[in-house]
């Protein structure tokens, strides 16, 4: 690597680091706003908030890295072209591929980082993120309760407290528990307290009424087809407790989504999980997308190089090159989303994922070296009739 390569690569690397970090921070800020309420209103510690939201960063970087690589390569080379730096380098005898070498090296580094993220760090961080969410929803359910608000702890347990004293005592409590299918329970109590336990938080209720709906079989001698009746059972109590952790009544094992699984698990899921064919196809499509996505960083960078290095020099032609390159990559991103959705529904189209990741780079390289094989108009000879 000579001095020219180091000069160009230094500008590319600095720009890539700045743009990727800035864009990742912006995306992190917008996505973390949905968790800020847990800190401001519900008592979640700031350290837990930072740790929880920072686990989303590897996924953000894996998504935006091909885009930021393209943006930096295109803008740096267009600026160098506008400043006539590339004109001088060409006059010194450097070919198109020789000028493109620093950009290709940067793209290859992005490909390697992309594989590190997609194959290892993103599944690891997303698993930790889902575990945190699961713990907050089930084992730390106390922070989800607000006074004067019907708080849903999961999808089948609702808790309402009219007031919350400074010592943590709840006043005017209503609990609707529908975790036991077919036998929903509604509890009204004067007061209560949330206490931790080994199985998760429990709310101890004082001086209340427990109402249960039960289905009763029709009495003997009823006509055939008579629907079962519903009976309301009311029980007064001085002390009762309700488990706020869903895991103790429902699923003991949390279902792992596709982003938590390795590529091997996506391609060969455990038959004991009982996945439906549609889910198996979605997992396979996700695996191929994860393996091919880093290659788009190289393809997009080659597209940016082809746009910036080809064509005639124009003193004020940088804007047209930028618009052309951005338009091409935006179109490729839109096509990629369509192909991804299609391949996850029907694995017969998985090959399109790889074609989308590789073909633009091959086409850009072919164009950059002069489009060999493309018919060109012959120059007219002066005086020829």
């Amino acid at each position: 690597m000579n001095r020219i390569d180091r000069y160009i690569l230094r500008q590319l690397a600095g720009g890539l680091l700045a743009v990727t970090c800035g864009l990742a921070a912006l995306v992190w800020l917008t996505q973390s706003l949905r968790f800020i309420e847990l800190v401001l209103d519900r008592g979640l510690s700031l350290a837990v908030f930072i740790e929880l939201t920072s686990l989303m960063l590897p996924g953000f970087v894996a998504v935006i890295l091909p885009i930021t690589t393209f943006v930096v390569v295109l803008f740096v080379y267009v600026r160098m072209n506008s400043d006539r730096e590339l004109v001088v380098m060409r006059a010194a005898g450097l070919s198109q591929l020789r000028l493109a070498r620093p950009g290709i090296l940067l793209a290859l580094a992005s490909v390697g980082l992309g594989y590190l993220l997609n194959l290892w760090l993103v599944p690891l961080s997303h698993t930790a993120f889902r575990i945190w969410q699961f713990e907050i929803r089930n084992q730390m359910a106390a922070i989800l309760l607000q006074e004067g608000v019907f708080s849903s702890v999961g999808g089948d347990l609702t808790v309402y407290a009219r007031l919350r004293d400074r010592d943590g005592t709840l006043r005017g409590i209503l609990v609707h528990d529908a975790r036991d299918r077919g036998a929903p329970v509604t509890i009204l109590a004067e007061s209560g307290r949330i206490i931790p336990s080994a199985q998760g938080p429990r709310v101890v209720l004082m001086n209340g009424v427990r109402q249960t709906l039960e289905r009763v079989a029709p009495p003997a001698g009823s006509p055939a087809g008579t629907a079962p009746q519903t009976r309301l059972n009311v029980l007064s109590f001085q002390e009762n407790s309700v488990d706020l952790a869903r895991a103790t009544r429902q699923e003991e094992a949390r279902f792992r989504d596709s982003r938590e699984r390795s590529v091997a698990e996506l391609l060969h899921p455990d038959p004991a999980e009982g996945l439906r064919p549609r889910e198996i196809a979605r997992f396979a499509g996700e695996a191929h997308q994860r393996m091919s996505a880093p290659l788009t960083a190289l393809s997009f960078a080659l597209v940016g190089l082809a746009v910036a290095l080809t064509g005639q020099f124009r003193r004020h032609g940088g804007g047209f090159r930028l618009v052309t390159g951005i338009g091409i990559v935006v179109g490729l991103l839109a096509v990629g989303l369509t192909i991804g959705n299609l391949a996850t529904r029907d694995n017969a189209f998985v090959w399109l994922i790889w074609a989308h990741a590789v073909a633009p780079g091959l086409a850009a390289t072919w164009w950059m070296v002069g489009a060999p094989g493309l018919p060109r108009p012959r120059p007219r000879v002066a005086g020829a009739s």
Side-chain angles (χ1 to χ4, degrees):
M1 183 181 297
N2 58 23
R3 185 174 299 179
I4 292 179
D5 289 339
R6 290 195 299 268
Y7 168 72
I8 299 176
L9 190 58
R10 186 165 56 248
Q11 297 186 62
L12 292 171
L16 180 62
L17 181 63
V19 173
T20 303
C21 291
L23 190 56
L26 179 61
V27 176
W28 172 83
L29 180 61
T30 56
Q31 293 296 315
S32 62
L33 290 178
R34 53 187 175 144
F35 298 100
I36 197 67
E37 182 186 1
L38 297 177
V39 177
L40 298 179
D41 299 331
R42 305 194 182 187
L44 187 68
S45 68
L46 183 60
V48 173
F49 167 77
I50 294 176
E51 183 175 356
L52 177 65
T53 54
S54 63
L55 292 173
M56 300 186 293
L57 282 176
F60 298 156
V61 175
V63 172
I64 66 176
L65 187 60
I67 301 173
T68 56
T69 302
F70 158 76
V71 170
V72 169
V73 168
L74 178 64
F75 274 76
V76 168
Y77 274 88
V78 167
R79 183 192 60 78
M80 293 178 62
N81 191 51
S82 300
D83 294 343
R84 294 187 175 88
E85 293 181 78
L86 295 183
V87 176
V88 175
M89 294 178 188
R90 288 192 182 97
L94 299 183
S95 64
Q96 297 284 59
L97 289 180
R98 184 69 177 73
L99 292 173
R101 187 166 69 178
I104 295 174
L105 292 175
L106 181 79
L108 291 175
S110 297
V111 171
L113 181 58
Y115 274 115
L116 178 67
L117 290 169
N118 279 353
L119 301 183
W120 177 65
L121 193 55
V122 170
L124 189 66
S125 63
H126 189 71
T127 299
F129 177 77
R130 288 288 306 276
I131 291 175
W132 264 113
Q133 278 192 317
F134 188 76
E135 291 295 326
I136 290 175
R137 183 178 295 117
N138 299 301
Q139 306 301 327
M140 301 173 65
I143 69 173
L144 302 178
L145 301 183
Q146 288 181 281
E147 62 179 27
V149 175
F150 287 90
S151 302
S152 178
V153 183
D156 43 20
L157 180 64
T158 303
V159 181
Y160 172 86
R162 180 171 51 86
L163 292 173
R164 170 180 275 180
D165 297 339
R166 291 186 177 181
D167 61 355
T169 301
L170 305 175
R171 307 286 182 182
I173 303 173
L174 182 146
V175 178
H176 181 73
D177 188 353
R179 290 177 290 189
D180 292 335
R181 302 302 179 188
V185 177
T186 301
I187 302 175
L188 303 173
E190 293 182 1
S191 62
R193 292 183 63 88
I194 296 177
I195 60 174
S197 68
Q199 291 77 28
R202 303 178 67 87
V203 56
V204 178
L205 306 172
M206 307 298 294
N207 300 326
V209 176
R210 178 187 179 95
Q211 302 175 354
T212 307
L213 285 176
E214 293 183 354
R215 291 182 177 273
V216 181
S222 300
T226 303
Q229 300 177 351
T230 302
R231 182 175 62 188
L232 176 64
N233 292 333
V234 180
L235 174 66
S236 299
F237 61 86
Q238 291 184 343
E239 180 177 336
N240 194 6
S241 64
V242 176
D243 183 10
L244 294 183
R246 295 178 65 211
T248 58
R249 294 275 185 97
Q250 283 190 323
E251 51 185 12
E252 293 295 334
R254 180 180 57 84
F255 180 76
R256 299 165 61 229
D257 65 18
S258 59
R259 288 178 292 178
E260 297 180 74
R261 301 168 185 258
S262 66
V263 172
E265 290 177 308
L266 292 174
L267 292 175
H268 307 287
D270 187 357
E273 292 187 79
L275 298 176
R276 294 175 296 179
R278 184 174 181 179
E279 293 176 324
I280 295 176
R282 180 169 60 85
F283 281 6
E286 171 71 21
H288 286 277
Q289 283 184 299
R290 192 181 296 178
M291 291 187 291
S292 64
L295 296 177
T296 59
L298 179 59
S299 287
F300 289 176
L302 289 171
V303 169
L305 290 169
V307 172
L309 294 176
T310 58
Q312 296 182 354
F313 170 76
R314 295 180 182 179
R315 184 176 181 181
H316 302 289
F320 177 76
R321 294 175 188 270
L322 293 176
V323 172
T324 302
I326 292 173
I328 293 174
V329 170
V330 168
L332 289 175
L333 290 173
V335 172
L337 291 175
T338 303
I339 291 175
N341 292 331
L342 184 63
T344 52
R345 295 178 183 177
D346 187 353
N347 290 157
F349 297 99
V350 162
W351 67 273
L352 290 175
I353 295 177
W354 292 95
H356 171 265
V358 176
L362 296 177
T365 304
W366 172 76
W367 184 262
M368 192 163 42
V369 298
L374 188 68
R376 290 177 173 79
R378 296 181 179 180
R380 298 183 61 182
V381 181
S385 56

